[in-house]
Amino acid sequence: MSQLRPALLTVAALALSLAVATPAQAAAAPAITVEDGRTQPVFSYADAVREHVYVEAPVDSDSDGNLDKVRVDIIRPKESGPGLKVPVIIDESPYYDNSGRGNESERKAYDAAGNVTKFPLFYDNYFVPRGYAVLHVDMIGTTRSDGCPDMGGPADVLGGKAVIDWLNGRAKGFKADGSPALADWTTGKASMIGKSYDGTLANAVAATGVEGLETIVPISAISSWYKYQRSNGVIYNYDYISYLTNAVDTDPDAKCQAVRDALDAADGDDTGNYNPLWAERDYIDGTLADASKIKASVFVVHTVNDLNVKPDNFSTWWQALADRDVPRKIWVGQTQHVDPFDFEGRRGLWVDTLHRWFDYWLHGVQNGIMSEPRADVEVGPAQWITQRDWPAPFAVKAPLRPSPDGSLGLSRAAKGSTATFTDTRMNENAMVADIGTPNPGRVAFTTGELPVDLRLSGTPTVDLRVKLDKPTSNLTALLVDFGEDTRVDWRRGQGITTLTEEDCWGESTAADDGCYRKVVTNVATRPLEIIARGWIDVQNRESLSESAPLPVGEYGKVKWQTLPQDYIFKKGHRLGLVIAGTDSNYSDEAGTGARVTVDLTKSSVVVPFASPLSGLPKDKVKFHGPDRVELPQPDSEFRFF
């Protein structure tokens, strides 16, 4: 035993010396981790890098002799750098120091060094721990960026594009001290997301075809500023460009007054026509951006009752994406100008769907999201369905024809049948009130009680033959659901009520939590609902770019599309068509006073009904291809249309 002790002591000493001499192996640095088809929160939000840079844009929008610099506020994992490159989520906005972002109007907050300590919305709290950088970009002319905003024009668009170029080494970036700033921490794969103006910038930048922008998520976004401020020659608001650009610019008014004056002079408010200014702000088929250039995938979110960014902005954009086979996904809601984060009962699903979308397009995670049905559609208050596409595939187009007795059906009115009204400025409540009583400012037609539910999915088309006693008239067409029902009350609070209870998405700091108040959908029980609206100036019946007055006393064809919808007309309700003059709810124009005569024999509204027509007996409906359906005719006992 005594002989073993020195040996044991020697072994122990050797082991101790080895333990002291060999450094402890450093813990492995966090890396992108994927489980269950989703990146996992392995990076510290509290320890994330918070910094800002200025990216040089190829425009001098304020004409001060210097190229504008775009302020970019960045939050990214501490570990990101040359050894761990991460993709980027961008929310570019003009609203960070005025109206704020989100349902709770969050604004940026800064520390003494000028870095952001509070990033609005949940994107930073949720995605930075999962291996993303989040950039909140001040649109040119707003907050801490240089220049002057120009409502969707070159300054707005090229400023955002420059940020994508900087991330990919194609544009200059500078730190606050003027030294070069390199984005050596990113893969160069970028996305853009945002609601309203923010989502509009995403559409616009994607339509430049910029390399490195892999996906966009435009929410309640504009695709054509003409559609935002015009409908077939009818002007919604006069001098709107100067109003909006001044509203988002918190600099002294004098700085950008010359820019605003030039925009107002070029807007064509005297005619309402589509002109070069609007072509420059058209991202589907414009002169600055064009949907044919898009390289990014697109996840569209919009609501059919958004009468701010009207839904033709998403329906025409969606069709343009489909025509070009752009990878895409869509959510269609029934509130008004509301973010999907605030769709009742959908917050968790929204965050998870967005997470999987970004993981697929930015991290390359094969999670199956592109193999799922393309469209989620709200068909009633907080009631959603999933379908292959939007509008509902195989919708059939039913031509509904007005008759002099006030009925609306499939049969043509007798030759020579007419209806008349005067183009006066009238609000929609007056247009749809007392529908069976004559009104000099409108004509109205209704079906009988519907024997089954009918779903409208898509965009109705109004096709009228009219004559005027003056060179032009504004025309309004309304599709109305007459019947007591509880519907989404999108007029009140945009369709939602904000509660006091919160839920949290992502990690938090004392300065920036990821917690937000829950919401519920507002509903109201009413005897009718205007479902679809459409407007046209008769002198724009042939062209949006050139006015052509209708010869007084001569009939002419006036055909246009209403705003799109997705809506279920309930059994027992009546479907109505109202034709009137100038809609005071949505246009600042005065009525022309023209007397409008409608040739009922050659007039109709074509409504896309989803196929199959739910509950309709098969022996009472005949399909003649995808574009025509034969429905039951009225008789003495059963009047359908």
Side-chain angles (χ1 to χ4, degrees), residues 349-425:
L349 180 60
W350 167 246
V351 174
D352 186 62
T353 303
L354 188 63
H355 182 186
R356 295 172 61 231
W357 183 263
F358 283 151
D359 277 357
Y360 179 85
W361 288 105
L362 300 178
H363 275 300
V365 177
Q366 298 303 304
N367 52 28
I369 194 165
M370 296 306 294
S371 300
E372 298 171 356
R374 187 173 281 149
D376 281 31
V377 183
E378 189 176 17
V379 294
Q383 300 170 8
W384 290 76
I385 62 172
T386 300
Q387 61 190 36
R388 190 177 73 185
D389 209 336
W390 191 89
F394 307 114
V396 291
K397 299 173 183 177
L400 308 183
R401 306 180 190 280
S403 293
D405 63 355
S407 65
L408 186 66
L410 295 176
S411 299
R412 290 184 185 273
K415 187 175 181 179
S417 299
T418 62
T420 61
F421 65 93
T422 301
D423 174 17
T424 57
R425 184 172 167 81

Side-chain angles (χ1 to χ4, degrees), residues 351-534:
V351 174
D352 186 62
T353 303
L354 188 63
H355 182 186
R356 295 172 61 231
W357 183 263
F358 283 151
D359 277 357
Y360 179 85
W361 288 105
L362 300 178
H363 275 300
V365 177
Q366 298 303 304
N367 52 28
I369 194 165
M370 296 306 294
S371 300
E372 298 171 356
R374 187 173 281 149
D376 281 31
V377 183
E378 189 176 17
V379 294
Q383 300 170 8
W384 290 76
I385 62 172
T386 300
Q387 61 190 36
R388 190 177 73 185
D389 209 336
W390 191 89
F394 307 114
V396 291
K397 299 173 183 177
L400 308 183
R401 306 180 190 280
S403 293
D405 63 355
S407 65
L408 186 66
L410 295 176
S411 299
R412 290 184 185 273
K415 187 175 181 179
S417 299
T418 62
T420 61
F421 65 93
T422 301
D423 174 17
T424 57
R425 184 172 167 81
M426 181 184 294
N427 67 51
E428 290 186 347
N429 286 339
M431 290 180 185
V432 300
D434 301 320
I435 204 66
T437 303
N439 185 318
R442 64 107 205 271
V443 290
F445 313 89
T446 64
T447 69
E449 293 184 356
L450 302 177
V452 293
D453 291 353
L454 289 179
R455 179 184 171 200
L456 184 166
S457 182
T459 305
T461 299
V462 183
D463 189 351
L464 305 180
R465 187 170 183 260
V466 304
K467 69 176 179 180
L468 312 175
D469 66 354
K470 293 186 177 183
T472 194
S473 170
N474 290 334
L475 297 180
T476 295
L478 306 178
L479 276 182
V480 189
D481 177 20
F482 290 101
E484 190 85 5
D485 201 5
T486 299
R487 306 173 176 91
V488 174
D489 187 4
W490 51 268
R491 298 170 183 81
R492 177 167 57 93
Q494 306 282 340
I496 60 172
T497 293
T498 305
L499 308 177
T500 56
E501 182 184 0
E502 291 186 330
D503 53 17
C504 302
W505 303 92
E507 299 182 14
S508 300
T509 63
D512 189 342
D513 68 36
C515 302
Y516 295 87
R517 295 166 67 185
K518 296 181 179 180
V519 302
V520 293
T521 302
N522 293 337
V523 296
T525 301
R526 288 191 287 261
L528 62 89
E529 183 79 1
I530 299 171
I531 302 308
R533 299 164 168 83

Side-chain angles (χ1 to χ4, degrees), residues 28-33 39-40 42-44 49 51 76-88 127-133 183-188 363:
I32 305 299
T33 301
T39 52
Q40 298 299 304
V42 297
F43 301 96
S44 168
V49 174
E51 59 187 348
R76 57 184 175 87
K78 179 181 67 176
E79 295 81 1
S80 60
L84 177 66
K85 294 180 183 290
V86 296
V88 174
F127 285 106
V128 170
R130 289 166 168 80
Y132 292 85
D184 59 358
W185 42 264
T186 180
T187 62
H363 275 300

Side-chain angles (χ1 to χ4, degrees), residues 505-583:
W505 303 92
E507 299 182 14
S508 300
T509 63
D512 189 342
D513 68 36
C515 302
Y516 295 87
R517 295 166 67 185
K518 296 181 179 180
V519 302
V520 293
T521 302
N522 293 337
V523 296
T525 301
R526 288 191 287 261
L528 62 89
E529 183 79 1
I530 299 171
I531 302 308
R533 299 164 168 83
W535 308 276
I536 192 170
D537 182 339
V538 170
Q539 64 186 344
N540 288 107
R541 68 197 180 281
E542 297 175 349
S543 169
L544 296 182
S545 301
E546 297 182 11
S547 300
L550 182 63
V552 171
E554 294 185 13
Y555 276 105
K557 184 183 181 68
V558 186
K559 183 177 181 179
W560 78 102
Q561 292 186 326
T562 72
L563 300 179
Q565 250 293 355
D566 208 295
Y567 182 86
I568 295 176
F569 294 91
K570 300 289 183 63
K571 177 181 177 180
H573 288 200
R574 293 180 300 145
L575 194 160
L577 170 66
V578 175
I579 304 170
T582 303
D583 187 337

Side-chain angles (χ1 to χ4, degrees), residues 170-342:
R170 299 187 299 266
K172 296 178 181 178
F174 302 92
K175 298 178 182 178
D177 62 6
S179 61
L182 301 177
D184 59 358
W185 42 264
T186 180
T187 62
K189 291 186 174 184
S191 63
M192 295 183 73
I193 186 173
K195 176 192 165 192
S196 199
Y197 212 136
D198 306 20
T200 302
L201 296 170
N203 281 345
V205 174
T208 68
V210 62
E211 296 283 351
L213 183 59
E214 303 296 324
T215 191
I216 62 171
V217 185
I219 301 165
S220 302
I222 296 165
S223 61
S224 163
W225 285 88
Y226 183 86
K227 282 186 168 59
Y228 181 63
Q229 277 302 299
R230 306 279 194 269
S231 175
N232 304 300
V234 174
I235 298 171
Y236 296 145
N237 305 282
Y238 288 104
D239 293 329
Y240 186 81
I241 296 181
S242 58
Y243 158 74
L244 182 61
T245 53
N246 196 38
V248 300
D249 187 354
T250 51
D251 290 318
D253 286 354
K255 176 186 174 184
C256 295
Q257 187 62 52
V259 174
R260 292 193 293 274
D261 289 345
L263 291 170
D264 273 349
D267 64 9
D269 273 1
D270 56 326
T271 65
N273 289 351
Y274 184 93
N275 65 21
L277 179 141
W278 300 108
E280 198 172 45
R281 289 157 177 79
D282 183 341
Y283 310 137
I284 294 177
D285 187 22
T287 55
L288 177 65
D290 185 330
S292 66
K293 300 176 183 177
I294 293 176
K295 298 181 176 70
S297 62
V298 184
F299 186 174
V300 174
V301 182
H302 216 108
T303 61
V304 289
N305 293 313
D306 190 341
L307 273 301
N308 176 353
V309 179
K310 296 176 180 63
D312 54 345
N313 273 281
F314 94 81
S315 60
T316 53
W317 178 248
W318 182 251
Q319 185 60 54
L321 300 176
D323 291 344
R324 293 158 177 81
D325 201 26
V326 173
R328 62 201 183 279
K329 187 173 181 64
I330 191 168
W331 278 22
V332 180
Q334 284 200 359
T335 50
Q336 207 190 139
H337 200 56
V338 172
D339 192 287
F341 189 73
D342 296 313

